[in-house]
Amino acid sequence: MSQPYTITTAISYPNGRPHIGHAYEVIATDAIARFQRMMGRDVFFQTGTDEHGLKMAQTARDRGIEPKNLAEEMSGYFKEMNNKLNISYDRFIRTSEPDHHRASQAMWQAMQANGDLYLGRYEGWYSVRDEAFYDEKELSEGEGGQKLSPQGTPVEWTVEESWFFRLSAYQQKLLDLYNGQPDFIQPDSRRNEIMRFVEGGLSDLSVSRTSFDWGVKVPGSDGHVMYVWVDALTNYLTGCGYPDDAGRMARYWSEGGDITHIIGKDIVRFHTVYWPAFLMSAKLPLPRHVFGHGFLLNRGEKMSKSLGNVADPMELAERFGVDQLRYFLLSEVTFGNDGSYSAEAIVARSNSDLANSFGNLAQRTLSFIAKNLDGRLPAPAPQDVDRDLLKAVADATGNFQKAMADLAPSVAIEGWMRGVFACNAYIDAQAPWALRKTDPARMEAVLATLYEAIASLAIMIHPVIPASAAALLDQMGISDDARDYAAIVADRYADLRASGFTLSPPKPLFPRLELTETDA
């Protein structure tokens, strides 16, 4: 039996509504999770919201409501987005949940038992927006002398009593991790950045605050709440059963387990420096991979409320279609790099790949069978050219699987498109509409080959466009238990013909999208 697979997004900070960047991360993670399930693996996929911290407390105060009420409202928008985008999460975690408080406090006590926490006084630069502390050497100067973090956010000089984590003690252990497990941080550009940062020396980390109380209480220390990253990062353990469900932990968070975090590049440091150090301190297993994806840019510009170019993913999904949006984001952007989107780009990609290439291939093949054979599935009589097409589709499947396993969805989709192009070239060359009059038996053999190839292509792309692929497979009579990657190489078509299945006239899957004046 294959090893269980745990995959998570970062948990989103809900002091504002979700934007397209949140959607991109969770769509990519969902596609990977669906792919691993179709490979026959037991997958645990977690996403959710990170609800504590000073930003949430300040936003709630500005609105005149309690932080817990703000968290309830805003978390709801993120869960709604996930459901709208057909995200197949196994758990949507909220850090305000009691079992997460229990896990965070257990994590704290484990680090304390290891001698890595001590009480002191914090004086330094703090970014409310990033919920992060920064050394003087990391800062730059903005307009009016305002000091800025590496992310360009304002920092404030903060003085208060604080618990500290002995991060400095883990410098060499972290470097040993990066050198011994080169694919722990992906892509390589992120790994190189983190290596240089850690090699430059690590300071002990302030891990509690006393200036606000919206957070997980530090056990045995009145007035202190946990620094939000201790609390937030522990969410991954909460979902895996920590600290009480040893059986679940053994399954989804074990030593040597296949555990992957998909996160934005701006929080790679927290996940690859602080998080493994916390886990080492608590004597818990480490994840296998942390992948820092790039940012989405609106027509090449960084999204900003002041520029008015922050896109609502719900509106984009409503405007263009959920699967069309999913396909665009995963095919257009090389995973790990920054990418750009626009209405024109979404329409062009969807029409070219989905409507014209794959959708038209499926529509004209299935319509021809429904019309000319009264829906009876055609009899195969394969020739070399037919076998060559099915081999091309099988090769595309292998390439797709390898790329998805390597966390490269855009490369996987390129492989899939090669299979689609091969089918379109084949149907144009074999011309079953001409064979209908001259060689009906050969016509059926061509259609049977295409039927099998199209079903395989639909199964292959299912993790990316799950609703559309499922609708096509429903039309084609492919049962739910024959929709994993093992089924692609099975003799599915012969069994389907033997069952007496009759194909009904198909419904178009991908209507052509049109631009409107508001898209400019």
Side-chain angles (χ1 to χ4, degrees), residues 305-377:
K305 290 181 181 178
S306 61
L307 294 176
N309 66 350
V310 178
D312 181 344
M314 306 286 277
E315 291 179 2
L316 290 173
E318 190 67 31
R319 167 75 178 83
F320 300 112
V322 171
D323 277 354
Q324 287 85 342
L325 179 62
R326 289 174 62 109
Y327 183 87
F328 170 81
L329 291 175
L330 296 183
S331 61
E332 186 81 6
V333 182
T334 300
F335 204 46
N337 295 346
D338 291 347
S340 188
Y341 72 95
S342 66
E344 294 90 343
I346 296 172
V347 167
R349 174 73 73 163
S350 178
N351 285 346
S352 171
D353 291 8
L354 296 181
N356 296 347
S357 294
F358 183 56
N360 187 49
L361 168 70
Q363 183 67 19
R364 61 176 173 164
T365 301
L366 302 186
S367 295
F368 195 90
I369 293 171
K371 180 179 179 180
N372 293 284
L373 298 177
D374 295 324
R376 173 182 60 81
L377 296 192

Side-chain angles (χ1 to χ4, degrees), residues 1-3 35-43 484-485:
M1 188 173 182
S2 61
Q3 184 182 30
F35 163 75
Q36 292 288 353
R37 291 192 193 104
M38 290 177 65
M39 292 296 289
R41 300 183 70 177
D42 173 14
V43 172
D484 58 21
Y485 289 117

Side-chain angles (χ1 to χ4, degrees), residues 14 49 51 56 66-76 94 96 214:
T49 45
E51 300 176 12
M56 288 290 286
E66 291 297 315
K68 65 179 181 180
N69 295 333
L70 175 67
E72 180 74 25
E73 174 193 342
M74 301 307 291
S75 181
R94 298 182 55 197
S96 57
W214 176 240

Side-chain angles (χ1 to χ4, degrees), residues 206-504:
S206 172
V207 289
S208 76
R209 303 297 301 276
T210 59
S211 54
F212 61 95
D213 62 1
W214 176 240
V216 178
K217 303 295 186 289
V218 171
S221 190
D222 290 344
H224 286 256
V225 295
M226 291 183 196
Y227 167 50
V228 69
W229 282 102
V230 177
D231 157 17
L233 291 163
T234 302
N235 92 88
Y236 306 126
L237 296 178
T238 307
C240 293
Y242 184 76
D244 300 317
D245 191 338
R248 184 171 178 79
M249 279 289 286
R251 185 158 195 79
Y252 294 117
W253 198 280
S254 61
E255 195 68 46
D258 204 346
I259 303 160
T260 297
H261 297 312
I262 305 295
I263 60 168
K265 66 180 182 180
D266 54 331
I267 55 173
V268 169
R269 180 193 304 180
F270 306 105
H271 285 77
T272 60
V273 180
Y274 302 170
W275 182 225
F278 294 163
L279 290 168
M280 290 175 188
S281 175
K283 303 188 185 312
L284 290 168
L286 304 184
R288 180 174 294 181
H289 304 298
V290 179
F291 192 102
H293 63 76
F295 292 149
L296 279 182
L297 309 176
N298 188 332
R299 302 178 188 274
E301 291 186 327
K302 191 171 181 178
M303 288 184 288
S304 164
K305 290 181 181 178
S306 61
L307 294 176
N309 66 350
V310 178
D312 181 344
M314 306 286 277
E315 291 179 2
L316 290 173
E318 190 67 31
R319 167 75 178 83
F320 300 112
V322 171
D323 277 354
Q324 287 85 342
L325 179 62
R326 289 174 62 109
Y327 183 87
F328 170 81
L329 291 175
L330 296 183
S331 61
E332 186 81 6
V333 182
T334 300
F335 204 46
N337 295 346
D338 291 347
S340 188
Y341 72 95
S342 66
E344 294 90 343
I346 296 172
V347 167
R349 174 73 73 163
S350 178
N351 285 346
S352 171
D353 291 8
L354 296 181
N356 296 347
S357 294
F358 183 56
N360 187 49
L361 168 70
Q363 183 67 19
R364 61 176 173 164
T365 301
L366 302 186
S367 295
F368 195 90
I369 293 171
K371 180 179 179 180
N372 293 284
L373 298 177
D374 295 324
R376 173 182 60 81
L377 296 192
Q383 299 178 4
D384 286 347
V385 67
D386 308 327
R387 297 186 189 94
D388 288 345
L389 176 67
L390 295 179
K391 182 180 184 305
V393 172
D395 289 345
T397 300
N399 292 334
F400 184 95
Q401 292 172 330
K402 182 181 185 307
M404 287 298 287
D406 290 341
L407 307 181
S410 66
V411 177
I413 292 171
E414 287 176 9
W416 176 75
M417 281 301 301
R418 284 193 287 274
V420 174
F421 291 150
C423 287
N424 278 308
Y426 170 88
I427 193 174
D428 289 340
Q430 298 301 311
W433 48 87
L435 293 170
R436 181 169 60 90
K437 295 180 180 178
T438 62
D439 192 344
R442 177 62 191 152
M443 175 198 74
E444 289 204 30
V446 167
L447 294 173
T449 302
L450 284 167
Y451 202 96
E452 185 169 348
I454 290 167
S456 293
L457 290 169
I459 292 171
M460 196 191 317
I461 201 65
H462 192 282
V464 178
I465 49 171
S468 300
L472 176 56
L473 291 166
D474 286 346
Q475 291 182 36
M476 297 180 74
I478 309 300
S479 61
D480 290 344
D481 61 359
R483 296 183 184 183
D484 58 21
Y485 289 117
I488 286 182
V489 297
D491 193 9
R492 180 181 55 243
Y493 186 72
D495 292 341
L496 190 60
R497 284 193 76 233
S499 73
F501 172 77
T502 301
L503 180 69
S504 299

